[in-house]
Amino acid sequence: MIASHMIACLFTELNHNQVQKVEQYLYHMRLSDETLLEISNRFRKEMEKGLGATTHPTASVKMLPTFVRSTPDGTEHGEFLALDLGGTNFRVLRVRVTDNGLQKVEMENQIYAIPEDIMRGSGTQLFDHIAECLANFMDKLQIKDKKLPLGFTFSFPCHQTKLDESFLVSWTKGFKSSGVEGRDVVALIRKAIQRRGDFDIDIVAVVNDTVGTMMTCGYDDQNCEIGLIVGEDLNTEQPWTVGCGLWGEAFGWGAFGDDGVLNDIRTEFDREIDMGSLNPGKQLFEKMISGMYMGELVRLILVKMAKEELLFQGKISPELLTTGSFETKDVSDIEDDKDGIRKAYQVLVRLGLNPLQEDCVATHRICQIVSTRSANLCAATLAAVLRRIKENKGEDRLRSTIGVDGSVYKKHPHFAKRLHKAVRRLVPDCDIRFLRSEDGSGKGAAMVTAVAYRLADQQKAPRQNTLEPLKLSHEQLLEVKRRMKLEMERGLSKETHSIAPVKMLPTYVCATPDGTEKGDFLALDLGGTNFRVLLVRVRNGKRRGVEMHNKIYSIPQEVMHGTGEELFDHIVQCIADFLEYMGMKGVSLPLGFTFSFPCQQNSLDESILLKWTKGFKASGCEGEDVVTLLKEAIHRREEFDLDVVAVVNDTVGTMMTCGYEDPHCEVGLIVGTGSNACYMEEMRNVELVDGEEGRMCVNMEWGAFGDNGCLDDFRTEFDKAVDDLSLNPGKQKFEKMISGMYLGEIVRNILIDFTKRGLLFRGRISERLKTRGIFETKFLSQIESDCLALLQVRAILHHLGLESTCDDSIIVKEVCTVVARRAAQLCGAGMAAVVDKIRENRGLDTLKVTVGVDGTLYKLHPHFAKVMHETVKDLAPKCEVSFLESEDGSGKGAALITAVACRIREAGQR
């Protein structure tokens, strides 16, 4: 009766003024919904920074990947072990999960102590002790003869790199075991088990307690996508939604505000707590809302109000001045509906005070304001998470469950209700359920393990069986290299050239730049509906270098489809315009002509067009020498004269451009939309051209490697499908395995196959995915560049009309990686054949050579170049190969070939 009477007095006029006084004093801690939404928006921005590859290092909210790819779906089953280490005691558990329709989980566990001398000893001692306790537990259950999967809850600051790999950043909670910080804790426990040798386990996952909370609740409610712990410290875990899928991201949200974005809402009491903490300036958000600091915030407010004679008649006790004397448990007790005022009296008396009734009422109100602010701030950040999930899924209304654990959430009489109400106010377009977790840290680790096993069982075997033929071994790559060398020899031989798929065409380029070239040269670059005219100034001596000026011209469709005369007259008109533009009208200059159409080259300045491609249909050109056609157009104009010295393709131009920078460059390679290579071959081996002395650049046309069936045992069903539906079935088979024009199509065919077999996208193929060419090769670069939250994968799959899970995103990335890696390895095997042939031609034990490279796939894909380089090094160990990226090989290269030809011609005239 006394307690009820005192609560009633809370609203009497006697106490009303005291409550108003507290509310006015702490008005800045009472946050409006408008302010909470602003905080939510700030947190959303910090999440984005934490997810971004470039902004992640400086982000306060780290959004760390946990590598937990899915939540339970109810089909998990099996027997699992769990190890829960987060303090001076740790637990070992056996968890049995059944899927017989009951979704039953049975658990047995035992608690083991860690003696202080082991906590402060060596890492070997610590993990040997853990292994000994694990052995003891398995002995008691008579399961030592089984190799069971184990989930490891390790609740210390870690940098996680895989589901089963986590590096300890620093010890906390009194642990000081040496030799552990900076090392993988999973590897350490595995070694401890190996040292014993009397049992074996399969450590599948290492997680923290927040992940465990999410997974435990996820087993009971498959809508659970967020884990939250509100206890002595606070963290949240979200299975990150990417393309409507899930991807585990550890927020580490206690550091929100460490960059100053919360300074305008932090109070003087927050700042005082921070300054007196062990880590000033860090974990500022946690210090505003977690149970570790809630009681201390109340104490600091009581002290200041007492000093200002607003409480306790201005009297302060030594106990009240003692840090930590007002506990978070006291806050919970004081806010109890039935007995709160009496509890406030007891707490204040314990602190050496002689409180009046109004002091107890004021303390009750202070506790309410502090805990309500904590719940509201927590709600604001959860609202940001929920809005992001909703947007990622593209849903009008989100239905989701939050799994929650922690002493504040469970034991405070009003915290949970306030949190629920605030979240629902801030995200009214979301239907949110809060589900309390029971034993998240132990059971949850086992559930992570169970889910990992389910995913592996469901998908890994059929997926790997399909991708296995695309994964080439060292021996297979050596065989590709051997076959490429054989086809090169056949292309060079006069006897077999006509039937050889790798044509090894003479280019009549017999030297690379030596640095003495000089003069002004024109270059004409024709390979599409636009073409360029360039002026290239080559200087030697101290001013050695290349200066370029160029102008782009279009070719109207009626000219492309008209007569040859109209086409070449248009080209000459553009050359005249360029010369006038450069103030060089009437000047006669040597010209190099890059002509990127199929040709038969008979000399450096004679090239017969075999057939038009790329939409050109100008009549009277096929079967004619394009240099002659250009010269005739120049003569018809009768305005200027040009010396057309060389006609080349873009691969040779790439080699010459890089050869100007590096005298060791004797190989050219293009890996872009298409692929080709050229290199300097000994004249004695070029049987199609008379002469034995010197060298000549050979245009390999290696895209046709395999057209005779010599690569059929390496081609997969997907390569064959792409080839069958191409414009030239049975042709350019090597190019279709390695070039940018086809890699995306190979990936698309694999994704369709996986989807038809129920391994992807829940077996649902979108109409867009059925469209040939829809999966662009640039997607491979984007997908493999993304290393944090798979956002690129989600965006691309959404573009393709696909509803995807996190598992889908991971599989798509795996397919892209396998296809691109094979392309790089095959390209490397071909290049290894080239450089080894150069070395053998010259009878050298070792060769130092540079490869000039161009092409979007080589330049833009994040891993292609590295894999190709490694393959060349592995397959041609006697060659020291450098790779030099070309800039503007098709234009600048043609001019440099002309410069080299002019140098040689002038030297011959002398």
Side-chain angles (χ1 to χ4, degrees), residues 488-541:
M488 290 167 68
E489 298 288 354
R490 296 178 69 200
L492 288 167
S493 169
K494 185 180 292 187
E495 184 178 340
T496 54
H497 174 82
S498 61
I499 60 170
V502 181
K503 286 300 183 185
M504 307 297 286
L505 301 172
T507 67
Y508 298 89
V509 172
C510 296
T512 53
D514 67 1
T516 64
E517 294 79 15
K518 62 180 179 179
D520 292 352
F521 306 91
L522 283 178
L524 181 61
D525 181 9
L526 176 61
T529 54
N530 291 328
F531 73 101
R532 287 186 307 155
V533 185
L534 304 92
L535 173 65
V536 181
R537 292 189 162 125
V538 183
R539 302 287 179 259
N540 64 2

Short mmCIF file of all heavy atoms in Angstrom, two decimals, residues 488-541:
data_model
loop_
_atom_site.label_atom_id
_atom_site.label_comp_id
_atom_site.label_asym_id
_atom_site.label_seq_id
_atom_site.Cartn_x
_atom_site.Cartn_y
_atom_site.Cartn_z
N MET A 488 51.53 -23.00 -84.27
CA MET A 488 52.37 -21.91 -84.78
C MET A 488 53.31 -22.43 -85.86
O MET A 488 53.48 -21.79 -86.92
CB MET A 488 53.16 -21.29 -83.63
CG MET A 488 52.32 -20.50 -82.64
SD MET A 488 53.23 -20.08 -81.13
CE MET A 488 54.45 -18.93 -81.76
N GLU A 489 53.93 -23.57 -85.60
CA GLU A 489 54.85 -24.16 -86.58
C GLU A 489 54.11 -24.49 -87.88
O GLU A 489 54.62 -24.27 -88.98
CB GLU A 489 55.47 -25.44 -86.01
CG GLU A 489 56.31 -25.25 -84.75
CD GLU A 489 57.63 -24.54 -85.03
OE1 GLU A 489 57.95 -24.30 -86.21
OE2 GLU A 489 58.35 -24.23 -84.06
N ARG A 490 52.89 -25.00 -87.78
CA ARG A 490 52.12 -25.34 -88.97
C ARG A 490 51.75 -24.08 -89.76
O ARG A 490 51.74 -24.11 -91.00
CB ARG A 490 50.85 -26.09 -88.58
CG ARG A 490 51.12 -27.45 -87.92
CD ARG A 490 49.83 -28.14 -87.51
NE ARG A 490 49.07 -28.55 -88.68
CZ ARG A 490 47.77 -28.82 -88.68
NH1 ARG A 490 47.08 -28.69 -87.55
NH2 ARG A 490 47.15 -29.19 -89.77
N GLY A 491 51.45 -22.99 -89.06
CA GLY A 491 51.12 -21.74 -89.75
C GLY A 491 52.30 -21.12 -90.45
O GLY A 491 52.14 -20.46 -91.49
N LEU A 492 53.49 -21.30 -89.89
CA LEU A 492 54.70 -20.74 -90.50
C LEU A 492 55.17 -21.55 -91.71
O LEU A 492 55.84 -21.02 -92.61
CB LEU A 492 55.83 -20.68 -89.46
CG LEU A 492 55.69 -19.64 -88.36
CD1 LEU A 492 56.70 -19.90 -87.24
CD2 LEU A 492 55.88 -18.23 -88.92
N SER A 493 54.86 -22.82 -91.73
CA SER A 493 55.35 -23.71 -92.79
C SER A 493 54.55 -23.51 -94.08
O SER A 493 53.32 -23.49 -94.07
CB SER A 493 55.22 -25.17 -92.33
OG SER A 493 55.44 -26.05 -93.41
N LYS A 494 55.26 -23.37 -95.19
CA LYS A 494 54.60 -23.20 -96.48
C LYS A 494 53.75 -24.43 -96.81
O LYS A 494 52.66 -24.31 -97.39
CB LYS A 494 55.66 -22.99 -97.57
CG LYS A 494 55.07 -22.68 -98.94
CD LYS A 494 56.16 -22.46 -99.98
CE LYS A 494 56.94 -21.18 -99.72
NZ LYS A 494 57.89 -20.89 -100.83
N GLU A 495 54.21 -25.59 -96.40
CA GLU A 495 53.54 -26.84 -96.73
C GLU A 495 52.19 -26.98 -96.02
O GLU A 495 51.22 -27.49 -96.59
CB GLU A 495 54.44 -28.03 -96.36
CG GLU A 495 53.88 -29.38 -96.76
CD GLU A 495 54.84 -30.52 -96.41
OE1 GLU A 495 56.03 -30.26 -96.23
OE2 GLU A 495 54.34 -31.66 -96.31
N THR A 496 52.11 -26.53 -94.78
CA THR A 496 50.88 -26.72 -93.99
C THR A 496 50.10 -25.43 -93.76
O THR A 496 49.05 -25.46 -93.13
CB THR A 496 51.23 -27.34 -92.62
OG1 THR A 496 52.23 -26.52 -91.98
CG2 THR A 496 51.76 -28.75 -92.78
N HIS A 497 50.61 -24.31 -94.25
CA HIS A 497 49.99 -23.01 -93.97
C HIS A 497 48.52 -22.97 -94.39
O HIS A 497 47.67 -22.43 -93.66
CB HIS A 497 50.76 -21.89 -94.68
CG HIS A 497 50.09 -20.55 -94.55
ND1 HIS A 497 50.24 -19.76 -93.44
CD2 HIS A 497 49.26 -19.88 -95.40
CE1 HIS A 497 49.53 -18.65 -93.60
NE2 HIS A 497 48.93 -18.70 -94.79
N SER A 498 48.21 -23.55 -95.52
CA SER A 498 46.85 -23.42 -96.06
C SER A 498 45.81 -24.08 -95.17
O SER A 498 44.64 -23.67 -95.16
CB SER A 498 46.79 -24.01 -97.47
OG SER A 498 47.11 -25.40 -97.43
N ILE A 499 46.20 -25.12 -94.42
CA ILE A 499 45.22 -25.80 -93.56
C ILE A 499 45.40 -25.44 -92.08
O ILE A 499 44.66 -25.94 -91.23
CB ILE A 499 45.33 -27.34 -93.74
CG1 ILE A 499 46.73 -27.83 -93.37
CG2 ILE A 499 44.95 -27.74 -95.14
CD1 ILE A 499 46.86 -29.34 -93.29
N ALA A 500 46.38 -24.62 -91.79
CA ALA A 500 46.64 -24.25 -90.39
C ALA A 500 45.63 -23.22 -89.91
O ALA A 500 45.41 -22.21 -90.60
CB ALA A 500 48.06 -23.71 -90.23
N PRO A 501 45.00 -23.43 -88.74
CA PRO A 501 44.07 -22.42 -88.24
C PRO A 501 44.79 -21.16 -87.74
O PRO A 501 44.27 -20.05 -87.87
CB PRO A 501 43.35 -23.14 -87.10
CG PRO A 501 44.28 -24.23 -86.67
CD PRO A 501 45.05 -24.63 -87.88
N VAL A 502 45.97 -21.31 -87.15
CA VAL A 502 46.75 -20.15 -86.68
C VAL A 502 47.63 -19.72 -87.84
O VAL A 502 48.66 -20.33 -88.12
CB VAL A 502 47.59 -20.51 -85.44
CG1 VAL A 502 48.37 -19.30 -84.94
CG2 VAL A 502 46.69 -21.04 -84.32
N LYS A 503 47.26 -18.67 -88.55
CA LYS A 503 47.81 -18.37 -89.87
C LYS A 503 49.23 -17.80 -89.87
O LYS A 503 49.92 -17.88 -90.87
CB LYS A 503 46.88 -17.40 -90.61
CG LYS A 503 45.59 -18.06 -91.11
CD LYS A 503 45.91 -19.20 -92.08
CE LYS A 503 44.67 -19.85 -92.66
NZ LYS A 503 45.00 -21.02 -93.51
N MET A 504 49.67 -17.19 -88.79
CA MET A 504 51.05 -16.69 -88.69
C MET A 504 51.39 -15.82 -89.90
O MET A 504 52.37 -16.05 -90.62
CB MET A 504 52.02 -17.86 -88.57
CG MET A 504 51.69 -18.84 -87.45
SD MET A 504 51.78 -18.09 -85.81
CE MET A 504 53.55 -17.96 -85.59
N LEU A 505 50.59 -14.79 -90.14
CA LEU A 505 50.71 -13.97 -91.34
C LEU A 505 51.89 -13.01 -91.28
O LEU A 505 52.08 -12.31 -90.28
CB LEU A 505 49.42 -13.18 -91.54
CG LEU A 505 48.14 -14.01 -91.68
CD1 LEU A 505 46.92 -13.11 -91.66
CD2 LEU A 505 48.17 -14.85 -92.94
N PRO A 506 52.70 -12.94 -92.32
CA PRO A 506 53.79 -11.96 -92.36
C PRO A 506 53.23 -10.54 -92.39
O PRO A 506 52.23 -10.27 -93.06
CB PRO A 506 54.51 -12.28 -93.68
CG PRO A 506 54.03 -13.63 -94.09
CD PRO A 506 52.65 -13.79 -93.53
N THR A 507 53.84 -9.64 -91.65
CA THR A 507 53.40 -8.24 -91.64
C THR A 507 54.36 -7.34 -92.40
O THR A 507 54.05 -6.16 -92.61
CB THR A 507 53.30 -7.71 -90.19
OG1 THR A 507 54.61 -7.64 -89.64
CG2 THR A 507 52.41 -8.60 -89.33
N TYR A 508 55.54 -7.85 -92.72
CA TYR A 508 56.59 -7.10 -93.40
C TYR A 508 57.15 -5.98 -92.53
O TYR A 508 57.85 -5.10 -93.02
CB TYR A 508 56.10 -6.59 -94.76
CG TYR A 508 55.74 -7.74 -95.67
CD1 TYR A 508 54.45 -8.26 -95.66
CD2 TYR A 508 56.70 -8.34 -96.48
CE1 TYR A 508 54.11 -9.36 -96.46
CE2 TYR A 508 56.37 -9.43 -97.29
CZ TYR A 508 55.08 -9.94 -97.26
OH TYR A 508 54.76 -11.02 -98.05
N VAL A 509 56.84 -6.03 -91.24
CA VAL A 509 57.48 -5.15 -90.26
C VAL A 509 58.71 -5.90 -89.76
O VAL A 509 58.59 -6.94 -89.12
CB VAL A 509 56.53 -4.81 -89.09
CG1 VAL A 509 57.27 -4.07 -88.00
CG2 VAL A 509 55.34 -4.02 -89.59
N CYS A 510 59.90 -5.37 -90.10
CA CYS A 510 61.14 -6.13 -89.86
C CYS A 510 62.00 -5.56 -88.74
O CYS A 510 63.12 -6.04 -88.52
CB CYS A 510 61.95 -6.20 -91.16
SG CYS A 510 61.09 -7.13 -92.45
N ALA A 511 61.51 -4.53 -88.05
CA ALA A 511 62.30 -3.97 -86.95
C ALA A 511 61.38 -3.23 -86.01
O ALA A 511 60.31 -2.75 -86.41
CB ALA A 511 63.39 -3.04 -87.49
N THR A 512 61.80 -3.12 -84.78
CA THR A 512 61.09 -2.31 -83.80
C THR A 512 61.87 -1.01 -83.59
O THR A 512 63.02 -0.90 -84.02
CB THR A 512 60.96 -3.07 -82.47
OG1 THR A 512 62.26 -3.51 -82.06
CG2 THR A 512 60.06 -4.30 -82.62
N PRO A 513 61.27 0.00 -82.97
CA PRO A 513 61.98 1.28 -82.79
C PRO A 513 63.29 1.11 -82.01
O PRO A 513 63.36 0.30 -81.09
CB PRO A 513 60.98 2.13 -82.00
CG PRO A 513 59.64 1.53 -82.32
CD PRO A 513 59.89 0.07 -82.46
N ASP A 514 64.31 1.89 -82.40
CA ASP A 514 65.58 1.85 -81.66
C ASP A 514 65.91 3.17 -80.99
O ASP A 514 66.98 3.34 -80.41
CB ASP A 514 66.72 1.42 -82.58
CG ASP A 514 67.03 2.46 -83.67
OD1 ASP A 514 66.36 3.52 -83.69
OD2 ASP A 514 67.94 2.21 -84.49
N GLY A 515 64.97 4.13 -81.09
CA GLY A 515 65.16 5.42 -80.41
C GLY A 515 65.76 6.49 -81.29
O GLY A 515 65.82 7.65 -80.88
N THR A 516 66.19 6.13 -82.50
CA THR A 516 66.80 7.15 -83.38
C THR A 516 65.78 7.71 -84.38
O THR A 516 66.12 8.58 -85.18
CB THR A 516 67.98 6.55 -84.15
OG1 THR A 516 67.50 5.51 -85.03
CG2 THR A 516 69.01 5.96 -83.19
N GLU A 517 64.55 7.19 -84.34
CA GLU A 517 63.53 7.67 -85.27
C GLU A 517 63.21 9.14 -85.00
O GLU A 517 63.20 9.59 -83.85
CB GLU A 517 62.23 6.85 -85.13
CG GLU A 517 62.34 5.40 -85.54
CD GLU A 517 62.98 4.53 -84.48
OE1 GLU A 517 63.09 4.99 -83.33
OE2 GLU A 517 63.38 3.40 -84.81
N LYS A 518 62.93 9.86 -86.09
CA LYS A 518 62.54 11.27 -85.92
C LYS A 518 61.75 11.72 -87.14
O LYS A 518 61.83 11.10 -88.21
CB LYS A 518 63.76 12.15 -85.72
CG LYS A 518 64.74 12.16 -86.90
CD LYS A 518 65.92 13.07 -86.62
CE LYS A 518 66.89 13.05 -87.81
NZ LYS A 518 68.05 13.95 -87.58
N GLY A 519 60.98 12.78 -86.95
CA GLY A 519 60.22 13.35 -88.06
C GLY A 519 58.74 13.46 -87.76
O GLY A 519 58.27 13.06 -86.69
N ASP A 520 58.01 14.04 -88.71
CA ASP A 520 56.56 14.17 -88.62
C ASP A 520 55.90 13.12 -89.51
O ASP A 520 56.30 12.94 -90.67
CB ASP A 520 56.12 15.57 -89.07
CG ASP A 520 56.58 16.65 -88.10
OD1 ASP A 520 57.10 16.30 -87.02
OD2 ASP A 520 56.44 17.84 -88.43
N PHE A 521 54.88 12.47 -88.96
CA PHE A 521 54.21 11.40 -89.69
C PHE A 521 52.71 11.54 -89.51
O PHE A 521 52.22 11.96 -88.47
CB PHE A 521 54.65 10.03 -89.16
CG PHE A 521 56.15 9.84 -89.18
CD1 PHE A 521 56.92 10.17 -88.06
CD2 PHE A 521 56.80 9.37 -90.32
CE1 PHE A 521 58.29 10.02 -88.07
CE2 PHE A 521 58.18 9.21 -90.33
CZ PHE A 521 58.94 9.53 -89.21
N LEU A 522 51.98 11.14 -90.56
CA LEU A 522 50.53 11.06 -90.45
C LEU A 522 50.15 9.61 -90.18
O LEU A 522 50.85 8.68 -90.61
CB LEU A 522 49.86 11.52 -91.74
CG LEU A 522 49.79 13.03 -92.00
CD1 LEU A 522 49.14 13.29 -93.35
CD2 LEU A 522 49.01 13.74 -90.90
N ALA A 523 49.06 9.45 -89.48
CA ALA A 523 48.51 8.11 -89.26
C ALA A 523 47.02 8.17 -89.50
O ALA A 523 46.35 9.15 -89.14
CB ALA A 523 48.81 7.63 -87.85
N LEU A 524 46.50 7.12 -90.08
CA LEU A 524 45.08 7.01 -90.37
C LEU A 524 44.60 5.72 -89.69
O LEU A 524 45.14 4.65 -89.94
CB LEU A 524 44.85 6.94 -91.88
CG LEU A 524 43.40 6.85 -92.37
CD1 LEU A 524 42.62 8.07 -91.95
CD2 LEU A 524 43.40 6.71 -93.89
N ASP A 525 43.59 5.84 -88.82
CA ASP A 525 43.11 4.70 -88.04
C ASP A 525 41.66 4.42 -88.41
O ASP A 525 40.75 5.12 -87.99
CB ASP A 525 43.25 5.02 -86.55
CG ASP A 525 42.80 3.87 -85.65
OD1 ASP A 525 42.56 2.77 -86.18
OD2 ASP A 525 42.71 4.08 -84.43
N LEU A 526 41.44 3.38 -89.24
CA LEU A 526 40.11 3.05 -89.72
C LEU A 526 39.74 1.64 -89.25
O LEU A 526 40.39 0.66 -89.63
CB LEU A 526 40.08 3.10 -91.26
CG LEU A 526 38.75 2.68 -91.92
CD1 LEU A 526 37.61 3.59 -91.48
CD2 LEU A 526 38.89 2.70 -93.44
N GLY A 527 38.69 1.56 -88.43
CA GLY A 527 38.27 0.25 -87.93
C GLY A 527 36.81 0.21 -87.56
O GLY A 527 36.34 -0.77 -87.00
N GLY A 528 36.06 1.31 -87.87
CA GLY A 528 34.66 1.35 -87.51
C GLY A 528 33.98 2.54 -88.16
O GLY A 528 34.51 3.14 -89.10
N THR A 529 32.81 2.90 -87.65
CA THR A 529 32.05 4.00 -88.25
C THR A 529 32.70 5.35 -88.01
O THR A 529 32.40 6.31 -88.72
CB THR A 529 30.63 4.03 -87.68
OG1 THR A 529 30.70 4.09 -86.26
CG2 THR A 529 29.88 2.76 -88.08
N ASN A 530 33.57 5.45 -87.01
CA ASN A 530 34.39 6.64 -86.81
C ASN A 530 35.84 6.29 -87.13
O ASN A 530 36.27 5.16 -86.92
CB ASN A 530 34.30 7.14 -85.37
CG ASN A 530 32.93 7.70 -85.04
OD1 ASN A 530 32.26 8.27 -85.90
ND2 ASN A 530 32.50 7.55 -83.80
N PHE A 531 36.58 7.24 -87.64
CA PHE A 531 38.00 7.00 -87.83
C PHE A 531 38.76 8.26 -87.45
O PHE A 531 38.20 9.34 -87.33
CB PHE A 531 38.31 6.55 -89.27
CG PHE A 531 38.23 7.64 -90.30
CD1 PHE A 531 39.38 8.26 -90.78
CD2 PHE A 531 37.00 8.04 -90.81
CE1 PHE A 531 39.29 9.26 -91.74
CE2 PHE A 531 36.91 9.04 -91.76
CZ PHE A 531 38.05 9.65 -92.24
N ARG A 532 40.06 8.09 -87.28
CA ARG A 532 40.89 9.20 -86.82
C ARG A 532 42.01 9.50 -87.80
O ARG A 532 42.55 8.60 -88.44
CB ARG A 532 41.54 8.88 -85.46
CG ARG A 532 40.59 8.89 -84.29
CD ARG A 532 41.35 8.72 -83.00
NE ARG A 532 42.20 7.53 -83.02
CZ ARG A 532 43.28 7.39 -82.28
NH1 ARG A 532 43.66 8.36 -81.47
NH2 ARG A 532 43.99 6.28 -82.33
N VAL A 533 42.35 10.77 -87.88
CA VAL A 533 43.57 11.20 -88.57
C VAL A 533 44.47 11.81 -87.50
O VAL A 533 44.03 12.59 -86.66
CB VAL A 533 43.27 12.24 -89.67
CG1 VAL A 533 44.54 12.57 -90.44
CG2 VAL A 533 42.19 11.73 -90.61
N LEU A 534 45.74 11.40 -87.53
CA LEU A 534 46.68 11.84 -86.49
C LEU A 534 47.94 12.43 -87.12
O LEU A 534 48.39 11.97 -88.17
CB LEU A 534 47.11 10.67 -85.60
CG LEU A 534 46.06 9.85 -84.88
CD1 LEU A 534 45.65 8.63 -85.74
CD2 LEU A 534 46.59 9.35 -83.53
N LEU A 535 48.48 13.42 -86.46
CA LEU A 535 49.83 13.90 -86.74
C LEU A 535 50.69 13.48 -85.57
O LEU A 535 50.41 13.83 -84.42
CB LEU A 535 49.86 15.42 -86.89
CG LEU A 535 51.26 16.04 -87.01
CD1 LEU A 535 51.95 15.60 -88.31
CD2 LEU A 535 51.19 17.56 -86.93
N VAL A 536 51.73 12.71 -85.85
CA VAL A 536 52.61 12.19 -84.81
C VAL A 536 54.01 12.74 -85.04
O VAL A 536 54.60 12.51 -86.10
CB VAL A 536 52.64 10.64 -84.81
CG1 VAL A 536 53.55 10.13 -83.71
CG2 VAL A 536 51.23 10.09 -84.66
N ARG A 537 54.51 13.49 -84.07
CA ARG A 537 55.85 14.08 -84.16
C ARG A 537 56.79 13.27 -83.27
O ARG A 537 56.59 13.19 -82.05
CB ARG A 537 55.82 15.54 -83.73
CG ARG A 537 55.05 16.41 -84.72
CD ARG A 537 55.20 17.88 -84.44
NE ARG A 537 54.83 18.68 -85.59
CZ ARG A 537 53.93 19.66 -85.60
NH1 ARG A 537 53.32 19.96 -84.46
NH2 ARG A 537 53.65 20.32 -86.70
N VAL A 538 57.78 12.67 -83.89
CA VAL A 538 58.73 11.82 -83.17
C VAL A 538 60.05 12.56 -83.08
O VAL A 538 60.60 13.02 -84.09
CB VAL A 538 58.93 10.47 -83.91
CG1 VAL A 538 59.87 9.58 -83.10
CG2 VAL A 538 57.59 9.79 -84.14
N ARG A 539 60.55 12.70 -81.86
CA ARG A 539 61.82 13.40 -81.62
C ARG A 539 62.83 12.44 -81.00
O ARG A 539 62.47 11.57 -80.20
CB ARG A 539 61.59 14.58 -80.67
CG ARG A 539 60.56 15.59 -81.19
CD ARG A 539 61.13 16.40 -82.35
NE ARG A 539 60.15 17.35 -82.86
CZ ARG A 539 59.42 17.17 -83.95
NH1 ARG A 539 59.56 16.03 -84.65
NH2 ARG A 539 58.56 18.07 -84.35
N ASN A 540 64.10 12.62 -81.35
CA ASN A 540 65.13 11.80 -80.72
C ASN A 540 66.09 12.69 -79.95
O ASN A 540 65.84 13.88 -79.77
CB ASN A 540 65.86 10.94 -81.77
CG ASN A 540 66.64 11.79 -82.77
OD1 ASN A 540 66.66 13.02 -82.67
ND2 ASN A 540 67.26 11.14 -83.75
N GLY A 541 67.17 12.12 -79.49
CA GLY A 541 68.14 12.88 -78.70
C GLY A 541 67.60 13.24 -77.33
O GLY A 541 66.80 12.53 -76.74
#
